[in-house]
């Protein structure tokens, strides 16, 4: 490892930060995915009409969202390549669940423990690279703004600007890939058919169709990222100052991440509600090929307020916090742990020269 490849972030290279964020994303997916699998299975049991053919639902494990199309027929495998397959209709398997804990036991006993991770493959396909881009970009921007890893962030706008910019960049880069991934899943396309499908979509709807649905994603994720990083860096700075240290413990990172994620999740809940409705609406038009007109985001807000009042924008608080808080906690604590590991390793390497 050459000195020129190192950055001011404690000697870490971009590659080492990428490995750290990738590890965090994988662990987060492994721990949180079963929660959403159980939630979706219980929703399919209580509201089967919401999972009718051609309708869409949102799969979200706290790390990333996926718009999925409901299909009829028996559960079959869809192969993204020879190493990545998943069952289309895992969310429509029969079950008589009396609660969350009973669902965990019943699914594990009757279908095998691996069924609790039925939604994991599509998450790993998209969420891991998206998270790597997001966290690596955040760190690069923060370093570019003059922040060093061993000094607390004393200026509030640094994490706000870095977090917002990183989220905009990551979402913009990943959005076309997510659209293509969902088309692969819903239309059973092979990789050989992807090129033609993309060309057809560009010819019909134009180049910007690749970013369809980006605006509601940014509406939620940019404020969330800004508030999350501001909260996390503030808590981190106070702990480091009190202990006169340059490194949080794993537990301190975990707790700070959970608190920051909870705060950001609660404040941005209305944006999450809007984003969920908008993504499902767009998904049913784009993927299920329905011809109905998609309303604007502002029109959707007006309709929600007219039909259910202000409470419509604050629905689903408990499920959101239950996923976002542990996802943020696991992600940031794992990320910080691996960064610390690489810093120590780089330091030992320099000392042994």
């Amino acid at each position: 490892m050459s000195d020129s490849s190192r950055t001011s972030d404690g000697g870490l290279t971009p590659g080492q930060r990428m490995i750290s964020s990738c590890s965090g994303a994988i662990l987060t997916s492994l721990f949180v995915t079963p929660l959403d699998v159980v939630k979706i299975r219980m929703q399919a049991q209580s509201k089967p009409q919401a999972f009718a053919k051609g309708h869409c639902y949102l799969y979200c494990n706290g790390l990333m969202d996926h718009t999925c199309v409901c299909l009829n027929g028996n559960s079959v495998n869809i192969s993204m390549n020879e190493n990545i397959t998943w069952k289309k209709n895992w969310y429509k398997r029969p079950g008589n669940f009396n609660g969350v804990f009973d669902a965990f036991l019943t699914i594990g006993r009757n279908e095998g423990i691996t069924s609790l991770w039925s939604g994991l493959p599509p998450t790993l396909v998209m969420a891991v690279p998206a998270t790597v881009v997001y966290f690596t970009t955040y760190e690069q921007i923060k370093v570019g703004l003059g922040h060093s890893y061993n000094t607390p962030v004393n200026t509030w706008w640094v994490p706000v600007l870095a977090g917002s910019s990183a989220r905009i960049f990551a979402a913009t880069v990943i959005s076309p890939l997510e659209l293509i991934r969902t088309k692969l899943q819903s239309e059973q396309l092979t990789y050989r058919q992807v090129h033609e499908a993309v060309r057809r979509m560009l010819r019909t709807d134009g180049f910007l169709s690749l970013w369809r649905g980006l605006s509601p994603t940014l509406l939620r994720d940019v404020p969330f990222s800004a508030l999350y990083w501001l909260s996390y860096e503030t808590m981190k700075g106070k702990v480091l100052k009190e202990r006169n240290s340059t490194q949080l413990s794993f537990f301190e990172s975990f707790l700070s991440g959970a608190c920051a994620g909870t705060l950001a999740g609660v404040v941005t809940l209305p944006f999450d509600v809007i984003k969920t409705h908008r993504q499902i609406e767009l998904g049913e038009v784009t993927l299920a090929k329905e011809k109905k007109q998609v309303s604007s985001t502002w029109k959707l807000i007006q309709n929600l307020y007219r039909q259910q009042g202000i409470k419509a924008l604050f629905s689903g608080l408990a499920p959101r916090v239950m996923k976002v808080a542990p996802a943020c906690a696991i992600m940031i604590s794992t990320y910080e742990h691996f960064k610390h590991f690489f810093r120590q390793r780089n330091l030992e390497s320099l000392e042994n020269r």
Side-chain angles (χ1 to χ4, degrees), residues 62-278:
L63 190 65
M64 190 174 184
D65 300 341
H66 301 294
T67 304
C68 303
V69 177
C70 300
L71 302 166
N72 284 348
N74 296 325
S75 179
V76 296
N77 287 335
I78 294 180
S79 297
M80 296 295 288
N81 57 45
E82 60 273 11
N83 298 319
I84 302 176
T85 63
W86 66 82
K87 293 184 180 298
K88 288 192 298 187
N89 290 349
W90 58 268
Y91 51 87
K92 295 173 72 175
R93 295 176 192 164
N96 185 20
F97 311 126
N98 297 318
V100 174
F101 185 70
D102 179 63
F104 274 106
L105 291 179
T106 303
I107 293 173
R109 181 173 58 249
N110 297 336
E111 304 174 25
I113 194 69
T114 56
S115 291
L116 291 171
W117 284 270
S118 299
L120 182 61
T123 296
L124 295 179
V125 169
M126 292 304 303
V128 171
T131 304
V132 169
V133 171
Y134 173 49
F135 274 76
T136 303
T137 303
Y138 172 77
E139 293 284 0
Q140 291 288 80
I141 294 176
K142 193 171 67 169
V143 169
L145 293 174
H147 174 71
S148 177
Y149 84 97
N150 59 353
T151 57
V153 177
N154 295 319
T155 309
W156 66 269
W157 59 266
V158 171
V160 170
L161 179 60
S164 301
S165 302
R167 177 55 70 187
I168 292 173
F169 177 74
T172 303
V173 169
I174 294 298
S175 185
L177 301 179
E178 169 66 7
L179 182 62
I180 293 172
R181 183 206 67 80
T182 312
K183 288 181 71 66
L184 280 168
Q185 182 180 2
S186 63
E187 298 180 20
Q188 304 182 44
L189 300 178
T190 65
Y191 278 120
R192 294 180 180 180
Q193 296 172 304
V194 171
H195 180 65
E196 181 59 32
V198 173
R199 285 184 59 187
R200 185 171 61 251
M201 184 168 57
L202 292 176
R203 186 168 55 250
T204 304
D205 302 321
F207 182 72
L208 293 181
S209 63
L210 291 174
W211 283 270
R212 183 175 291 153
L214 178 61
S215 59
T217 298
L218 296 180
L219 180 66
R220 181 197 66 177
D221 289 355
V222 172
F224 180 92
S225 296
L227 187 55
Y228 170 79
W229 286 113
L230 174 61
S231 303
Y232 178 76
E233 295 286 3
T234 299
M235 287 184 279
K236 178 180 178 179
K238 289 183 177 180
V239 173
L240 293 180
K241 185 176 181 180
E242 290 177 359
R243 293 203 291 103
N244 193 25
S245 175
T246 60
Q247 178 67 36
L248 293 180
S249 67
F250 185 88
F251 175 76
E252 290 169 338
S253 295
F254 188 93
L255 187 60
S256 298
C259 292
T262 299
L263 176 61
V266 171
V267 173
T268 61
L269 178 61
F271 300 129
D272 182 61
V273 173
I274 295 167
K275 193 255 186 184
T276 298
H277 283 273
R278 183 73 168 144

Side-chain angles (χ1 to χ4, degrees), residues 327-344:
C328 290
I330 297 170
M331 181 66 221
I332 195 63
S333 56
T334 305
Y335 180 60
E336 295 278 23
H337 173 77
F338 275 94
K339 286 202 302 178
H340 179 64
F341 167 78
F342 282 121
R343 287 192 192 104
Q344 294 297 112

